[in-house]
Amino acid sequence: MNVNLTHVVLPGIGPVCAECFSRGHIGALSLSPGEVYSFGVTEPQAQLDWDVDSARALITARPRTAQRLDPGWLKRWLTERSCFTPEHLDHIPADKLAEPGILVEIMAGPPSHEPQPFRILIDGTHRAASRVRNGHDFWAHLLTEDEQRSICTYRLEGQAVELSWVAGPGISDRQAGILVSSVTESDVA
């Protein structure tokens, strides 16, 4: 059975969008829940959880250029791999719609196949869906291999375990578009 919760009824407030409520965007309430993006894998049964607030802090600490997401990839991601609430799309504040999402790349694949790079949009699904619906491009910040691993909890059959290392190139600072400061130590002296 698939259930899609679209509204929550709050005493004294009435019906509110479940997505707005989960993000603490109800004017009458001051909530600021931490945000985590979870991605499940069936074989073996595993779950990857990324701390989105920590991802935002990494991007603030190490500014980078946002990358335009391929429209074909984004449409497939939204229809095949994402779960979003269409009713929430009209609740996104206009000033937030252009905010880039956050993207990670992992090495993944079926157990009997060679792992391949696999990208996951860990923040911005609703903004992306709104922009795609309105015919606009969507951009995202890409985390490096080390960054995404540092904020990811890996659960295998429900137990948090060390994230296994899969050989692969990983995302470098350059590929993530990290802006290198033009100021060097010799310039500071």
Side-chain angles (χ1 to χ4, degrees):
M1 173 196 262
N2 249 351
V3 177
N4 190 12
L5 180 66
T6 60
H7 288 86
V8 175
V9 178
L10 298 175
I13 297 175
V16 297
C17 171
E19 290 295 331
C20 292
F21 176 68
S22 73
R23 288 166 171 69
H25 296 175
I26 304 300
L29 300 173
S30 58
L31 302 172
S32 58
E35 191 172 345
V36 173
Y37 179 86
S38 298
F39 188 82
V41 179
T42 55
E43 185 90 16
Q45 185 180 1
Q47 180 173 310
L48 297 144
D49 298 320
W50 286 274
D51 180 332
V52 176
D53 296 326
S54 292
R56 290 181 183 127
L58 290 168
I59 292 165
T60 298
R62 299 178 70 205
R64 63 204 71 208
T65 303
Q67 301 177 15
R68 179 182 164 271
L69 299 184
D70 174 81
W73 177 88
L74 185 55
K75 285 178 186 174
R76 283 189 309 281
W77 175 261
L78 292 170
T79 58
E80 298 171 12
R81 305 274 185 190
S82 295
C83 181
F84 60 90
T85 307
E87 297 83 5
H88 176 64
L89 301 184
D90 294 325
H91 302 159
I92 302 169
D95 63 327
K96 294 286 186 185
L97 280 174
E99 183 180 310
I102 302 174
L103 190 68
V104 299
E105 182 176 287
I106 63 171
M107 297 295 288
S112 60
H113 293 82
E114 191 70 27
Q116 298 294 316
F118 182 76
R119 290 193 167 187
I120 301 172
L121 186 63
I122 67 167
D123 176 57
T125 300
H126 283 91
R127 295 189 309 274
S130 177
R131 292 190 60 85
V132 166
R133 177 187 71 180
N134 296 327
H136 300 290
D137 288 334
F138 187 69
W139 299 70
H141 295 291
L142 179 61
L143 297 183
T144 68
E145 176 72 15
D146 290 338
E147 287 173 332
Q148 74 89 9
R149 289 177 72 83
S150 75
I151 62 166
C152 184
T153 301
Y154 179 61
R155 297 182 199 293
L156 188 58
E157 297 179 1
Q159 299 294 319
V161 296
E162 183 74 26
L163 185 61
S164 58
W165 189 263
V166 177
I171 298 297
S172 68
D173 285 4
R174 186 171 154 264
Q175 290 168 312
I178 293 176
L179 305 172
V180 179
S181 174
S182 59
V183 176
T184 63
E185 288 181 25
S186 63
D187 293 334
V188 176

